[in-house]
Amino acid sequence: MRSAWILTIGLIVGLISLPGFAQSPDPTPDQEPVGRDHIVILTSTLERAFTNAVAERVTKKTSIPIDVRTVLANPAIKDFCQGIGLEYADIVAVPRRITRYELKKCIENHVLDLVELKVGFDALVIATKKGDPVFNITPRQVYYGLAAEIPHHLNFVPNPANNWKDVDSKLPDLEIRVIGPATGTVILNFMKDIFMEGGCRGLSVFKIYYNAADRVRQCTTMRADGRFMEIKAPIAINFLEPMRKSPRGTLAVIPFTVWLKHQNEFDVLPVSGMLPSNQSINDDDYDAVYPVRFYVKRANMAKQLGGNGSVPGLYAFIQEITSEEAMGPNGYLEQLGLVTADPTDREENRKAALRLDRFSRN
Amino acid sequence: MPSHLKTSAAAVSVAALLLASPSGFAQTKAVAGATPDDGVAQAVGQTVSGLLNETASVLTFGWWDSPAGAPAARAPGDVDAQMLLPGITPPTTDQAEALAQLVAAGSGPVITMDIPNYTDPNTAVGAPGKPGLFGRAVDSVGYFFSYLWSGITSTLTPPSPASFAGAFETKDPYSFWYLLSETGYKLKEIESDVGLIPDVAFKFKYVRELSSADIAYLERKLERHARKYSDMLSVVQRSIIYTLLEINDSDTYFVEDFKIKLLPLPKAQFSLSPWESGLPEEFDVLLRAIQGKEVHYRRMGQEDLVGAK
C-alpha cells in the first residue's frame, strides 16, 4: 500500500516536472552544455528584418551567437524539415503557415515537435505617389491589367489593355504602369497568389482546367510589354527611385512595412474596398495579408525542455520574440512594420509558445 | 356504428391505403392539385407538410361545412369530400347532435386538440361562420389524423432533391456548398431513396486540382468561417473540408469523389484514388477524340497541299 502511494506521488511529481505540463518551463535549462554553440535560423526575405532584430537582442542577453541565413520560404521549410540535430536549422521564419504536407515530411524525418510562434502580420499594398489618383482596385482588375493573356470567349488572347479604363470603365483614365517585386522573391510569389490567382479564381474559363499547374501558369504569367516592371531585390530600397521618376498614375506593389516608412511620399489604394491598416490587417479584412510565423524545433532544445540538448538559447529566443517589447504595440518589431495581433491573441500565442505546445494542422 | 365514426374510419383506411400503395401518392397529388385556389386548403397547406395533409384538409373542409349545411357558400375551387372519396358521406345535422352529446358526455373516442388559427372562420374563404361543437370535434379528429400522417410521411419521404438545387447555386462565400466548390468538388449526382429508411445523398466529384495559393486562400477562409460560425454543424462542415484538403495534400492518394448522406443519419463517405492512376475514362475518350481529329485535319491539310500542287 505504502509503495503504491510512493509510486503515485512519484508519477505526479514526474508529470508536473514535464515541460508543457507546468505554466511555463524554467527558462534557464537551455543554457546547459551543448553540441552546437550557436543557433541557426533560416529566414525568408520578408521576415529577415524581424529575425535580425530578435536575434540581436537574444545574442546581447545570452551571449549565444545566432547565424541568420536568408533563404526563399519554400526551400527554407524543406531544409528545416530535413531532420533534427546539429547539421539542421533550429528555427525557420516564413510568411505563411507550414502546410500539412510539409508537416508530414517533417514528421517523416523525425522532426516531431514544432513550436509555432505567431508573431503578427504583414501585408502587400498597392501604392501610388501622393497627388496621383487613389482608386479602389480588386484582384480581378489587377489580373486583367497585368496578365500576359486574358480570357476572351473561352480562349486566351494577348492582353490588349493599355489603360486601367480598358480593364474596367469604373477605373480612372490612367496608363497601366506597375512596379513590383522581382522574379524568384517571396513577395512576387505572394503578389501572384493574391492578385493574379485570386483575380482569375472563379472565372468560368478556368473552371474547365483540371490541372492546377496549367491554371497557375495561365493566371500568373505577367505581361512582358513593359507595363509591369520588376524591381531588383531588395524592393524596400530599390523601388524608390523608379517610383519617384515614374509618370503619373504608376503603381507599386510593396510590403506594408515598406510603405509605412515612406507614407509621406506615397498613398495606398484600397483593395476590394479595404484600406490596409493595422486594424484591417489584424482583423483579416484586408485581402493581401500574410502571417509572420516562426517555427522552432523542440528536438534541438535542452533535455529538460523535451529536446536532445544540442543547441542552447532556443527557449530564450521564444521568450524574447513573444515578449511585449518585441511583438506588442510600440514594440521594436512594430517599428519595423509588423502588424501586431490583438491583445487576446497575443496573450494566447505567447502562452502557447512558452508552454512549447506542439504545432499541428488539425 | 354511427356514421361520423364511419367517416373517421374511412379516413384512416384511406390513410392506410395510401401508406400501403405508392400509387396512392399520385392519387393524392392529383387531389391536392385540384384545389389550388381554396383559401382554407392553402392555409392548411402552409402549416402541414405531406400530400395527404392536403387531402385531409379537403376532408376537414367538407366536415366543417356539413353541420352548417352550407356547401353553396364555398368558393368555386372547392372540392367536396364526397366527390373526392366516394362512399364518404358528410355527417348530417342529426349525427352532429349525436356527436355533440357524445362529447358532452365525455364518453366518445374524440381526441381534442387546439384548432390552429388558420381555421378562423373569418379568414376562411366561404366559411359559414363560427363552427359549432360538432365542427370542432370532427375537425379535431381530422387534424389528429392529418398530423399523424404528416409524421409518418415526413419520416418515410426524404426531402425532394430538387429542393436542394438552389443551395448549390449559392453565392454565399461561407456556405458549405460554396466552400466545397472552392475545394475543387462539383456536385455530380443526387440520390434519393424512398422507403422505410429513406435516404438522400449528394455525390461530389473532384474536378479541379488546387494550387498552393488555392489551399492558402481556402484555409484562410475556413479560419474566418470558424470565427463567424461556431455551431456544431459548422464544425462538422469544416472538418469535412479539412479532411478533403488533408488527403488531397498527400502525394499518394486523393479523394476522387465523396458522398454526403443526410438520412437516416448524416455522414460523409470518401473514395480515395491514387494520384498516379491513368486518365479517367471520359478524359481518355476525349483525348483520343482530339487526337483522332488532329490526324484527320493533318490529312486534310496534306490533301489540300497535294491538290494545290
Side-chain angles (χ1 to χ4, degrees):
Chain A
M1 184 68 189
R2 198 180 160 196
S3 61
W5 270 108
I6 291 166
L7 192 67
T8 311
I9 291 162
L11 267 171
I12 291 166
V13 169
L15 268 173
I16 289 169
S17 66
L18 272 180
F21 202 90
Q23 271 294 312
S24 66
D26 179 6
T28 48
D30 69 342
Q31 308 276 343
E32 73 186 37
V34 290
R36 189 179 349 102
D37 64 352
H38 64 279
I39 297 171
V40 175
I41 303 179
L42 303 178
T43 180
S44 78
T45 46
L46 284 175
E47 271 67 38
R48 188 171 48 196
F50 305 137
T51 312
N52 284 337
V54 180
E56 272 174 29
R57 279 162 179 82
V58 173
T59 304
K60 209 172 174 183
K61 286 179 185 172
T62 62
S63 309
I64 296 167
I66 299 181
D67 176 9
V68 179
R69 299 172 190 170
T70 308
V71 190
L72 292 176
N74 294 352
I77 295 172
K78 201 177 168 188
D79 284 359
F80 178 74
C81 287
Q82 285 294 314
I84 52 171
L86 300 180
E87 62 269 49
Y88 303 105
D90 311 302
I91 299 172
V92 68
V94 280
R96 62 177 177 83
R97 287 188 93 186
I98 285 184
T99 66
R100 285 183 178 75
Y101 182 63
E102 286 165 340
L103 183 62
K104 212 174 107 182
K105 287 282 166 199
C106 262
I107 292 166
E108 279 171 15
N109 293 328
H110 310 287
V111 185
L112 304 177
D113 272 358
L114 294 183
V115 181
E116 186 184 42
L117 313 177
K118 297 173 184 172
V119 178
F121 306 95
D122 201 350
L124 272 192
V125 300
I126 301 178
T128 188
K129 277 186 289 187
K130 277 213 183 286
D132 287 359
V134 172
F135 52 95
N136 180 48
I137 200 161
T138 63
R140 178 69 51 89
Q141 289 164 342
V142 173
Y143 163 73
Y144 271 103
L146 298 181
E149 290 184 336
I150 57 165
H152 181 71
H153 299 308
L154 294 177
N155 213 333
F156 288 92
V157 293
N159 195 339
N162 294 317
N163 193 300
W164 285 112
K165 227 171 175 45
D166 300 336
V167 170
D168 191 326
S169 58
K170 289 175 206 155
L171 294 178
D173 185 7
L174 290 170
E175 287 267 316
I176 298 174
R177 283 194 199 91
V178 179
I179 286 173
T183 304
T185 58
V186 181
I187 315 176
L188 182 68
N189 291 345
F190 188 67
M191 177 190 163
K192 285 182 171 182
D193 285 0
I194 298 289
F195 292 107
M196 303 302 283
E197 264 200 84
C200 72
R201 188 176 292 125
L203 284 174
S204 50
V205 69
F206 288 105
K207 286 183 181 168
I208 57 170
Y209 275 74
Y210 174 82
N211 191 294
D214 291 346
R215 197 175 59 248
V216 170
R217 189 169 48 246
Q218 188 66 56
C219 283
T220 63
T221 304
M222 312 292 283
R223 60 196 298 176
D225 54 2
R227 299 213 167 269
F228 177 70
M229 194 166 79
E230 287 187 14
I231 297 292
K232 264 188 177 177
I235 195 167
I237 297 160
N238 293 340
F239 92 102
L240 278 169
E241 273 314 297
M243 214 30 203
R244 282 172 185 155
K245 289 179 186 163
S246 64
R248 182 176 175 267
T250 303
L251 307 177
V253 181
I254 51 173
F256 180 67
T257 48
V258 174
W259 171 70
L260 284 177
K261 279 185 201 161
H262 304 284
Q263 53 181 316
N264 54 338
E265 251 187 288
F266 304 104
D267 279 327
V268 281
L269 270 56
V271 174
S272 304
M274 191 60 69
L275 271 170
S277 66
N278 280 22
Q279 186 67 37
S280 65
I281 292 169
N282 197 7
D283 291 349
D284 200 17
D285 290 331
Y286 183 69
D287 271 344
V289 176
Y290 54 85
V292 176
R293 302 268 163 108
F294 283 68
Y295 293 90
V296 183
K297 224 175 257 177
R298 191 167 172 180
N300 286 9
M301 286 186 178
K303 279 177 185 161
Q304 288 186 36
L305 295 168
N308 299 327
S310 54
V311 181
L314 293 178
Y315 196 78
F317 186 91
I318 294 173
Q319 282 180 314
E320 177 58 37
I321 201 168
T322 56
S323 66
E324 278 296 278
E325 294 74 47
M327 68 174 195
N330 303 315
Y332 59 86
L333 295 182
E334 193 184 68
Q335 283 162 26
L336 290 169
L338 180 86
V339 178
T340 57
D342 64 49
T344 322
D345 287 350
R346 269 203 318 276
E347 191 53 33
E348 270 178 34
N349 297 342
R350 180 178 302 118
K351 279 182 180 168
L354 294 176
R355 278 197 309 260
L356 304 177
D357 283 357
R358 178 189 271 196
F359 168 63
S360 105
R361 289 302 316 251
N362 296 322
Chain B
M1 186 189 277
S3 63
H4 65 274
L5 290 180
K6 266 189 207 165
T7 311
S8 302
V12 175
S13 59
V14 168
L17 191 71
L18 290 173
L19 183 63
S21 153
S23 61
F25 284 103
Q27 255 185 319
T28 327
K29 263 183 190 168
V31 170
T35 60
D37 296 321
D38 186 325
V40 175
Q42 275 185 349
V44 173
Q46 283 168 8
T47 42
V48 289
S49 62
L51 300 167
L52 192 67
N53 295 345
E54 293 191 34
T55 311
S57 75
V58 173
L59 281 170
T60 311
F61 191 85
W63 295 344
W64 184 269
D65 264 349
S66 301
R74 275 190 257 164
D78 294 348
V79 181
D80 198 300
Q82 206 170 353
M83 287 163 56
L84 298 167
L85 301 162
I88 301 177
T89 316
T92 62
T93 313
D94 295 342
Q95 290 160 354
E97 281 168 8
L99 182 66
Q101 285 164 9
L102 222 129
V103 172
S107 57
V110 178
I111 297 135
T112 49
M113 292 173 69
D114 286 332
I115 295 173
N117 284 336
Y118 50 72
T119 55
D120 183 354
N122 298 322
T123 53
V125 177
K130 203 174 176 183
L133 185 60
F134 171 78
R136 289 177 65 88
V138 174
D139 244 2
S140 300
V141 178
Y143 280 117
F144 168 73
F145 285 112
S146 98
Y147 280 119
L148 183 70
W149 182 248
S150 162
I152 294 166
T153 49
S154 61
T155 311
L156 294 179
T157 319
S160 162
S163 65
F164 291 94
F168 297 106
E169 303 301 323
T170 180
K171 296 283 175 206
D172 174 7
Y174 290 104
S175 82
F176 178 57
W177 310 118
Y178 197 89
L179 290 172
L180 270 181
S181 79
E182 300 217 312
T183 318
Y185 289 86
K186 197 174 178 181
L187 181 68
K188 190 184 166 198
E189 283 172 19
I190 305 178
E191 293 172 5
S192 174
D193 295 340
V194 179
L196 276 174
I197 303 172
D199 191 9
V200 179
F202 303 93
K203 198 170 179 184
F204 292 85
K205 192 165 176 65
Y206 194 54
V207 292
R208 200 166 54 88
E209 244 181 11
L210 297 192
S211 65
S212 56
D214 289 332
I215 294 170
Y217 167 77
L218 194 59
E219 287 187 338
R220 194 173 163 202
K221 207 164 180 179
L222 287 169
E223 282 173 18
R224 285 178 179 177
H225 189 272
R227 281 200 295 271
K228 263 174 105 101
Y229 308 103
S230 54
D231 57 294
M232 194 51 154
L233 184 65
S234 303
V235 171
V236 172
Q237 288 174 347
R238 282 195 297 276
S239 76
I240 290 173
I241 305 274
Y242 277 126
T243 306
L244 292 168
L245 283 176
E246 193 166 349
I247 298 169
N248 293 349
D249 201 18
S250 78
D251 50 0
T252 45
Y253 287 92
F254 74 107
V255 180
E256 191 174 9
D257 46 41
F258 80 100
K259 207 186 249 189
I260 293 178
K261 295 183 93 175
L262 296 183
L263 296 167
L265 288 170
K267 67 173 174 180
Q269 287 178 324
F270 301 93
S271 304
L272 273 66
S273 305
W275 279 115
E276 295 302 323
S277 61
L279 280 173
E281 194 185 345
E282 58 265 41
F283 293 142
D284 194 42
V285 169
L286 198 63
L287 186 68
R288 276 187 278 121
I290 292 166
Q291 285 169 341
K293 283 279 176 206
E294 205 181 331
V295 171
H296 175 70
Y297 287 130
R298 208 172 290 152
R299 272 190 205 141
M300 277 174 67
Q302 282 169 353
E303 282 166 15
D304 285 348
L305 276 174
V306 171
K309 282 177 187 173

